[in-house]
Amino acid sequence: MAEVLVYVDHVDGAVRKPTLELLTLARRIGDPVAVSLGNGAADTAAALAEHGAVKVLTADAPEFADYLVAPKVDALQAAYEAVSPAAVLLPSSAEGKEIGARLAVRIGSGIITDAVDLEAGDEGPVATQSVFAASYTTKSRVSKGTPVITVKPNSAAPEAAPAAGTVEALAVTVADASKGTKVVARTPRESTGRPDLTEAAIVVSGGRGVNGAENFPVIEALADSLGAAVGASRAAVDAGWYPHTNQVGQTGKSVSPQLYIAAGISGAIQHRAGMQTSKTIVAINKDEEAPIFDLVDYGVVGDLFDVVPALTDEVKARKG
Amino acid sequence: MSLRIVVCVKYVPDATGDRHFAEDLTVDRDDVDGLLSELDEYAVEQALQIKEANDDAEITVLTVGPEDANDAIRKALSMGADKGVHVEDDDLHGTDAVGTSLVLAKAIEKTGYDLVVCGMASTDGTMGVLPAMLAERLGVPQVTLLSEVSVEDGTVKGRRDGDVATEQLEASLPAVVSVTDQSGEARYPSFKGIMAAKKKPVESLELDDLDIDADEVGLEGAWTKVEDATERPARTAGTIVKDEGEGAKQLAEFLAGQKFI
């Protein structure tokens, strides 16, 4: 069976969930060969093998941390040349897309980003995408070269499928040209203890109706009761009530959780673009005319300051 | 030392309009008004600020697109850019991201540059891959997804706010930069700016001028193929209740029924 390269997103050896989803999708088109780079690369092997990686190619060098993106492209290219894969899959993170973009140009291939599903086809893998603020679903394939495809988080449920996961060191020569952009300082993001926004199964977001940074703890309390991530609309972020890293929408994060709860969000096209593919959508808003109600599976017309805290209490009570 | 800045901008269908696919599965541009991609306005703004901080800098706005895309160039010129380059050719219809990066890279090389500034993504395709592709093709550093950027003495510095860390980046020019919507509000064109823009030069280029063959671009030459586009069925109307004291309880019932609690 053809081999499929899967780029591993991990933090110091802890594999992030989107990579396990990629392995699950990769098995539909071939045998997954994982490429794990940087600090803790080899520590990823057990989790990758558990989810179907037949081989884990690892490399660590200071260049991966000291310079932006390009050294990782050199490494992925080395893996591509060693394996001659049927496709290269990466997570649709900012960095995943940039690495994929450069690799595609380098190997003369097309690239598809933000796939939400992937299947084998007669002429290579077929990717499903959700476009124009999720008003259209398209099916596309790469027609030149080796398909490079980035996949959005939550596009597949990770399935265990134990495989050999043989660890092999990947020989990488980082080109001088790839050392152009120095990372002169790095400040890790402080953990909020909540799940990552793009990976979370449940997201609770607040918007203009939250009416101030001092009120966001109301949203956070509901999120915590559900084990959810916290999101914010552009209006809330632009007003300085919540960090941009939590913004859901066209210029922020695109999320597709199992459950999305929008509180005090009217549902402008900009926001809908970032959450419309969520499986179940719930909205709480005072304005019964708010466009968000066109999207919901369940909507409550009411004051979020009445409904959200009461819902938090209900959730806590039911979870006991 | 002069600083030659090229800002890449895209003319996109208005996202608030009703966007559709044409029969050949490219975007139907006749159906909806176009405009300068909002995310590219941030790129123009940062280029203007870099120019203001550097003596003897010049900003060229570059776009690849149909005739109407000239509107995007004019908007950037009215904000304060100095001149425009418009790559327009019938054979470009249906060009994908890889092809567009080829055309842009050739046009940038022809124009001459020390710094290329891009938006983080287009508001239509939203791929966010073009800046990295340009850096790859031009063989220069990529300093991308910056929320802060500055250029001094041939060095570009910026801040990249990633998912797991915030990074301070640095590269020597020439380089490709992309900026996020956190980089700073874009200015509105003044009346004076709008009037001045009418007199600014816009150079028109065709594929021949860039030594690109028609079969390297367009729908037939594309590296990717859209095989099917289906309008998403309207969501079936959900349950909507008015909160008269029981809203939270009713919602909790719904969530429990869906096994979320």
Side-chain angles (χ1 to χ4, degrees):
Chain A
M1 206 173 178
E3 292 176 307
V4 176
L5 277 190
V6 172
Y7 181 83
V8 177
D9 183 12
H10 70 96
V11 179
D12 297 331
V15 180
R16 302 180 81 192
K17 187 165 143 259
T19 300
L20 305 179
E21 297 167 12
L22 280 184
L23 289 168
T24 303
L25 292 171
R27 292 205 307 276
R28 296 183 188 168
I29 47 180
D31 289 328
V33 173
V35 181
S36 183
L37 307 175
N39 184 39
D43 299 339
T44 60
L48 299 170
E50 176 66 26
H51 288 84
V54 297
K55 213 187 285 181
V56 180
L57 304 176
T58 65
D60 190 13
E63 286 91 339
F64 296 133
D66 294 349
Y67 305 96
L68 192 72
V69 177
K72 293 175 179 166
V73 183
D74 291 346
L76 194 57
Q77 185 184 10
Y80 165 83
E81 282 161 4
V83 169
S84 301
V88 182
L89 307 184
L90 304 97
S92 268
S93 59
E95 190 177 70
K97 287 196 208 185
E98 291 186 332
I99 294 170
R102 297 189 69 143
L103 181 75
V105 166
R106 224 179 256 193
I107 65 176
S109 292
I111 178 170
I112 291 172
T113 59
D114 295 321
V116 294
D117 200 5
L118 203 59
E119 59 208 324
D122 294 340
E123 294 170 281
V126 177
T128 304
Q129 290 164 290
S130 183
V131 304
F132 293 165
S135 60
Y136 274 86
T137 301
T138 61
K139 287 190 186 290
S140 306
R141 65 182 174 82
V142 168
S143 45
K144 285 187 196 172
T146 303
V148 177
I149 300 172
T150 78
V151 180
K152 275 174 73 165
N154 286 324
S155 295
E159 290 164 13
T166 317
V167 178
E168 281 179 27
L170 177 69
V172 181
T173 310
V174 176
D176 282 343
S178 299
K179 299 178 197 170
T181 309
K182 278 189 277 224
V183 179
V184 292
R186 179 178 287 122
T187 318
R189 190 160 300 290
E190 255 177 64
S191 172
T192 59
R194 297 192 178 93
D196 180 271
L197 183 59
T198 51
E199 297 173 20
I202 303 179
V203 174
V204 181
S205 288
R208 200 186 297 275
V210 176
N211 205 20
E214 68 280 11
N215 299 325
F216 253 87
V218 172
I219 304 295
E220 291 175 331
L222 175 59
D224 291 343
S225 74
L226 290 162
V230 177
S233 73
R234 183 171 180 172
V237 171
D238 282 352
W241 302 343
Y242 222 67
H244 178 251
T245 41
N246 296 68
Q247 184 177 320
V248 173
Q250 194 167 32
T251 58
K253 301 270 165 57
S254 166
V255 300
S256 45
Q258 297 298 319
L259 171 63
Y260 188 83
I261 302 180
I265 293 177
S266 66
I269 185 80
Q270 205 277 343
H271 188 74
R272 284 153 60 172
M275 48 65 75
Q276 204 158 344
T277 53
S278 304
K279 311 293 178 293
T280 299
I281 298 174
V282 167
I284 300 154
N285 201 303
K286 272 198 290 204
D287 175 11
E288 60 184 314
E289 304 289 324
I292 191 99
F293 284 124
D294 295 341
L295 303 179
V296 299
D297 297 285
Y298 201 93
V300 179
V301 178
D303 189 334
L304 77 90
F305 294 107
D306 294 331
V307 178
V308 172
L311 179 61
T312 307
D313 291 341
E314 282 286 334
V315 173
K316 283 187 187 158
R318 280 165 192 260
K319 284 196 165 174
Chain B
M1 191 190 79
S2 79
L3 178 67
R4 295 164 300 168
I5 305 170
V6 176
V7 185
C8 300
V9 302
K10 188 174 183 187
Y11 181 72
V12 298
D14 187 347
T16 59
D18 212 3
R19 293 174 292 177
H20 290 285
F21 282 91
E23 255 177 49
D24 64 358
L25 298 182
T26 62
V27 179
D28 187 343
R29 283 181 175 270
D30 296 335
D31 233 27
V32 59
D33 289 339
L35 74 177
L36 169 60
S37 172
E38 188 203 329
L39 291 168
D40 293 342
E41 290 186 12
Y42 296 95
V44 176
E45 176 61 37
Q46 289 309 311
L48 291 168
Q49 291 191 20
I50 290 166
K51 176 178 164 157
E52 284 154 11
N54 286 268
D55 294 334
D56 194 19
E58 184 183 55
I59 301 173
T60 305
V61 189
L62 167 65
T63 200
V64 177
E67 194 183 344
D68 293 349
N70 200 35
D71 290 358
I73 293 183
R74 287 292 164 201
K75 171 84 186 275
L77 293 177
S78 65
M79 287 170 72
D82 300 297
K83 59 192 178 83
V85 173
H86 184 177
V87 185
E88 186 192 351
D89 198 306
D90 288 345
D91 289 327
L92 283 167
H93 175 77
T95 305
D96 68 354
V98 172
T100 302
S101 74
L102 172 72
V103 178
L104 284 172
K106 295 250 190 182
I108 289 165
E109 278 171 338
K110 189 179 170 72
T111 303
Y113 71 103
D114 301 297
L115 179 70
V116 177
V117 186
C118 305
M120 60 188 278
S122 70
T123 55
D124 56 348
T126 66
M127 291 179 75
V129 295
L130 238 309
M133 285 179 172
L134 287 179
E136 179 69 33
R137 286 196 187 274
L138 296 168
V140 302
Q142 73 165 77
V143 199
T144 47
L145 297 171
L146 304 180
S147 50
E148 275 172 17
V149 59
S150 64
V151 173
E152 206 177 323
D153 299 329
T155 301
V156 51
K157 295 181 183 181
R159 191 182 85 201
R160 174 170 165 123
D161 292 319
D163 286 340
V164 291
T166 289
E167 293 164 326
Q168 296 292 339
L169 306 176
E170 205 174 295
S172 298
L173 298 182
V176 173
V177 157
S178 78
V179 301
T180 73
D181 61 334
Q182 298 301 295
S183 58
E185 198 84 1
R187 68 193 64 185
Y188 285 104
S190 63
F191 178 71
K192 207 175 136 196
I194 293 167
M195 296 314 287
K198 294 184 197 233
K199 294 190 187 119
K200 290 177 179 173
V202 177
E203 184 185 6
S204 190
L205 296 176
E206 295 181 350
L207 288 174
D208 277 351
D209 301 316
L210 300 174
D211 294 322
I212 296 173
D213 291 334
D215 61 6
E216 291 179 85
V217 294
L219 202 51
E220 291 305 312
W223 279 254
T224 47
K225 187 171 168 46
V226 180
E227 296 195 318
D228 185 54
T230 323
E231 197 156 6
R232 189 189 167 103
R235 274 184 171 261
T236 44
T239 309
I240 296 181
V241 298
K242 229 185 187 111
D243 176 38
E244 280 155 354
E246 295 292 305
K249 209 165 231 143
Q250 290 164 301
L251 179 48
E253 276 303 319
F254 169 78
L255 294 178
Q258 303 282 315
K259 308 248 185 288
F260 288 117
I261 358 178

